[in-house]
Amino acid sequence: MKPIIMSLILSCMTLGLFSQASAQEGYPLKGSWIGEWKGNQIHGDSVLLVLDWDGRQISGVINPGTDNIEITQASLNPDDWSVRIEADTESKGRSIHYVLEGSIENLQLPSRSIVGTWRHQNGGGDLEISRQ
């Protein structure tokens, strides 16, 4: 085979592998998500979520600063790409149950976002986080 043809074949194969690798980045929620849950007077406006997927369920933590809040339940509805995350923590001797709900925007991008709301028994606000 001529060297130029062999080079073209190898180039095409390499491009094919790279496009497959980027298309198979994993579960849509997996990764670190950084943003704001506006108006959170207990933990502040900035929030970081670290989410994982074991093939069956979503797990992870909400880390708004020094306190990790273990996620107790999470779900993703692929029909409309809606997300629901629940987590429980203690703050100043009282139990707090968080519910974060939103929809994934720009699903096709690695830096996709979840836009929606957060709430607990004493309030709530807007939520906007992006995957890093």
Side-chain angles (χ1 to χ4, degrees), residues 7-110:
S7 178
L8 282 171
I9 291 172
L10 287 174
S11 294
C12 289
M13 288 172 58
T14 302
L15 284 173
L17 287 175
F18 283 126
S19 65
Q20 265 188 338
S22 66
Q24 296 177 359
E25 67 176 15
Y27 194 71
L29 291 178
K30 189 172 183 170
S32 297
W33 298 75
I34 297 173
E36 291 185 321
W37 50 4
K38 296 178 182 168
N40 191 329
Q41 295 179 356
I42 295 172
H43 288 104
D45 286 343
S46 297
V47 67
L48 164 67
L49 278 74
V50 180
L51 301 175
D52 198 12
W53 168 251
D54 68 2
R56 292 179 304 135
Q57 62 187 32
I58 304 161
S59 61
V61 295
I62 301 171
N63 184 354
T66 57
D67 302 323
N68 283 340
I69 304 169
E70 196 75 29
I71 292 172
T72 55
Q73 188 172 349
S75 62
L76 171 67
N77 181 345
D79 293 334
D80 61 1
W81 298 107
S82 60
V83 177
R84 180 179 171 96
I85 298 170
E86 297 184 43
D88 295 302
T89 189
E90 293 273 332
S91 178
K92 299 178 183 172
R94 60 185 180 174
S95 179
I96 301 170
H97 179 74
Y98 280 105
V99 177
L100 289 69
E101 294 180 301
S103 295
I104 298 177
E105 295 185 355
N106 299 314
L107 178 67
Q108 69 281 12
L109 300 177

